[in-house]
Amino acid sequence: MGSLRVVSAFYIKLKAFSRIFTAVLLTLGLLILRGSAAEAYGLQPTNYRKNESTNNQIEQKRRIVYFQTLPLAVVSESQPDCNIDTCIALTFDDGPNLVTTPQILNILDKYNTPATFFVVGNRVAQNSSLLVRMQLSGDEVENHSWSHPDFTKLNNAQIKDEINKTQAAVIAAGLPAPKYFRPPYEAINANVLKSVNMPFILWNIDPQDWKLKDPGSLVQTIASQVKPGSIIILHDIKQNTISALPKVIEILKTKYKLVTVKQLLNLPEGSSGEFSKKP
Ligand code: ZN
């Protein structure tokens, strides 16, 4: 009988505990519904691609997605560690463009996917709000020269001018100075390498979106060639790229963590040389 009492006392305690536990869960659930989840967890919503978009519909949708997925996001979508996770990087060249770049950003927002933008400096000033949006969304903005020339045809002073003017334009837009350089046309020689004091970021997947007529073949090329550590080059000024991008991200996300170039390579300060994938 004694042992039965102990068992039944334990059972009553267990029931009381489970009631308290349920109450705590319900309270947490209510807090989440009220949008106070970040405070409840003591966390900032780091996976929320914040931006300055004035498009209320997009803003509202994004909030709904955020609050619906927050508990999962907190558990499973912490910052990727590319020493452990299988990472790849999506990169976009030749923007920013007033019409096409916001469409790319909307898709990245929808899939909560960061990317790296190699911007042409002389297109920055008139599109500085797009750079701010990239920065706030967790994207990376890097240097793709001032006017997109073939650097092997420039003298040292011209090379420095192309780099420095773009650095200044990005800083003037309110962003940190770019850390990486992508040479237009992949045009590099010993003199160019010596004259630009930044890591050269190339790529190992090039679906040639600038000349493709069919978004389907763009998806196919990327899906068949991608490998762990890949850097994929696309252009945020091409309509085909916009059409293909949702499918591309959906396919890549089944196997890989999509990260920025900085997250992928994690290069020490002062690094130099050419990088076409994670070493
Ligand atoms: Zn380019």
Side-chain angles (χ1 to χ4, degrees), residues 93-94 144 148:
D93 288 12
D94 295 1
H144 192 38
H148 210 274

Side-chain angles (χ1 to χ4, degrees), residues 227-248:
K227 293 191 174 57
S230 280
I231 297 177
I232 301 166
I233 181 175
L234 294 168
H235 296 80
D236 55 314
I237 55 169
K238 295 288 168 191
Q239 204 58 47
N240 268 341
T241 308
I242 295 164
S243 308
L245 189 58
K247 193 79 203 161
V248 167

Side-chain angles (χ1 to χ4, degrees), residues 167 177-180 197-199 262 265-272:
Q167 294 296 97
K179 297 253 189 242
Y180 303 138
N197 193 21
M198 299 166 109
K262 195 169 158 196
L265 299 178
N266 196 19
L267 296 176
E269 199 71 30
S271 298
S272 60

Side-chain angles (χ1 to χ4, degrees), residues 199-210:
F200 283 54
I201 306 300
L202 308 176
W203 54 86
N204 68 345
I205 308 282
D206 180 6
Q208 302 199 311
D209 61 334
W210 49 273

